[in-house]
Amino acid sequence: MGKIDDIENHTKGSPTATLNRGDSHDGKASLKGSEPHVGRSELSDVIPPDDGYEGKHRWDPLATWTPEEEKAVVRKTDIWLLSWLCVMFFGLQLDRGNLANALADEFLDDLNLSRDDLNNGNTIQLVAFLSAEFPVQFLTKRYGFRYVLPAMMFAWGTVSWGQAWIHDRASFYVTRALIGACEGGFIPGAILYATYFYTSSELSTRLAVFWSTLNVARVISALLAAGILKMRGIGGHPGWFWLFLLEGLLTVLLAFISFIYLPAAPTKTTGVLFREPWYTERQEVIMVNRILRDDPAKGLTLLNEPATWQDVKATWTDKSLWGLFFIGLIAYIPATPVQGYLTLTLRDLGFTDSFEINMLTIPSAVLQIITMLILARSSKYFNERTFHCFVGEFWVMPLLIALITLPDGGREWGRYSLITLISGYPYFHPIVTSWISENTFDVKKRAIAAATYNVIVQVGSLIGSQIYRDYQKPYYKIGNTTLVSISALALITFVVQRFVLVGLNKKKEKEWEKMSREEQLAYQNDVTARELDGNKRLDFRFVY
């Protein structure tokens, strides 16, 4: 019972402590240690934060607050943190996606490249991207997000503007590799960073906003490209030269600002740009305790605490995550080649003006922003994941079948409508990412799981980038038939994963009910075993 005593001693004499039993998520103090509970958010009473935890001085298990106060804290976090992370995501997509915009400006012809060379370049980029994923997670856990993330941004921005001087296949391949190596690990790192500021119920919606930013970047980059590519001939350079140069320099500027903008932790928000903290002392108390009551594991791992290879082993041997990892491999493939070949497909369909082509890519980006946010909000409202992901996957299948069955020749606008609807499908990646985070307990394991999942997603992208081949153009019916089969497999996988998690929960419940009340309490207070076992504990429940 030592941990319960720690909590009671901490709160003795507190002038603001008021014992209220109830749900800790709406700001009510809770001290449930005398009664065993199950579920991650029910364990905060028996898991006080580590002494080195950045917000330990604001921890108060009996702190209370109103829903309005909590909304104010979340709103402030959205304004100051979420908005800038979105700006950084914008810089990521700007430099990651400008190659697709460059294709509208005779890029392949200027460098004497084939579409298979383009596929190979994308494959090289993805391989380099994958190779950087795990090293970056170790670096962020060692040196902190506020330094590593901007440094990565500066690096890929520098490579991006350096692309302006590529002149042949070799230089194209080299810059693709460097772009991938500099960007790998940024997304899972930024997501893990955000988890220290948001509860699990808030995360999927915020991640949807992140990925909406990528689509906003697609729209803005298309508009920028439409104008910048008109600079073709200025200084004797093609339009894509100016596109790479200007967008890369913009990213470098954003990286410099990020160095002095990002906070170290919710209770460490001062810096060069902010002489005063983002939150008042009262708001810091709310911020820390709402996070720890939702996920007490965050108090057990310091922001700069390094991950180990033991954490990697624990993640990769966790059977509850295998289905979600396999989903990451196959679920996004059906839309990958359609999105990646959008500008080239438009050229094949008879659209030749670079301005017109870039404008025609905007509707799919706008559609995906809308469908993704609706799906994420619905998932949060119903507290459900499997069915929502199923809907997002199923969206693509009938559209691909329509592309296969549409007769050859003509019907350009009909084909354009179909590929726009496919490219704008409800992107459920934020839901799966949040799903993985919720089903892991240890924060270091969560970082490895996020990186593993992102690596597998990129492997899926690598596979998807090779499905459309030169000999299939302009309708790619063989490739689309393959995509329909992969989509069907993904739908089956979602159903199987749900059954697996339900079965694991029932097995835990059966073992838990065999224990006496005293055994349950003793089990919950064994913090050492809890840190070792994580989500394998009998009082932890998987979500689905």
Side-chain angles (χ1 to χ4, degrees), residues 69 120 168 179 216 263 336 381 475 506:
E69 286 181 301
N120 292 336
D168 56 12
I179 282 281
V216 170
T336 295
Y381 180 81
Y475 303 122
K506 287 183 178 179

Side-chain angles (χ1 to χ4, degrees), residues 178-234:
L178 291 174
I179 282 281
C182 294
E183 292 180 340
F186 179 84
I187 291 177
I191 292 170
L192 184 62
Y193 181 47
T195 64
Y196 284 90
F197 292 81
Y198 291 106
T199 65
S200 56
S201 65
E202 297 161 351
L203 189 59
S204 62
T205 305
R206 269 67 189 181
L207 294 183
V209 173
F210 287 162
W211 271 283
S212 294
T213 302
L214 301 186
N215 283 286
V216 170
R218 285 172 57 193
V219 174
I220 295 176
S221 64
L223 293 171
L224 290 173
I228 294 173
L229 293 180
K230 291 294 184 181
M231 297 173 66
R232 187 176 185 87
I234 295 179

Side-chain angles (χ1 to χ4, degrees), residues 15-34:
T16 60
T18 304
L19 180 59
N20 293 311
R21 296 186 179 274
D23 185 1
S24 62
H25 287 292
D26 54 11
K28 295 178 181 178
S30 158
L31 196 58
K32 301 184 287 288
S34 59

Side-chain angles (χ1 to χ4, degrees), residues 337-350:
V338 180
Q339 291 176 323
Y341 268 65
L342 184 56
T343 53
L344 289 176
T345 302
L346 290 172
R347 293 182 69 87
D348 291 337
L349 295 179

Side-chain angles (χ1 to χ4, degrees), residues 103-178:
L103 296 176
D105 186 50
E106 308 295 341
F107 177 80
L108 296 181
D109 293 338
D110 288 343
L111 296 182
N112 195 28
L113 300 176
S114 68
R115 297 191 183 192
D116 288 344
D117 292 330
L118 174 65
N119 286 345
N120 292 336
N122 288 332
T123 299
I124 290 171
Q125 178 183 354
L126 284 171
V127 170
F129 189 97
L130 298 178
S131 68
E133 284 282 349
F134 290 106
V136 166
Q137 298 316 304
F138 283 100
L139 287 173
T140 54
K141 288 302 297 170
R142 176 63 182 85
Y143 297 105
F145 303 96
R146 69 182 304 185
Y147 299 118
V148 175
L149 297 180
M152 294 175 64
M153 195 173 189
F154 175 82
W156 85 62
T158 301
V159 177
S160 184
W161 64 256
Q163 287 181 115
W165 283 271
I166 61 177
H167 55 280
D168 56 12
R169 183 186 294 108
S171 57
F172 171 66
Y173 286 165
V174 168
T175 53
R176 285 295 94 193
L178 291 174

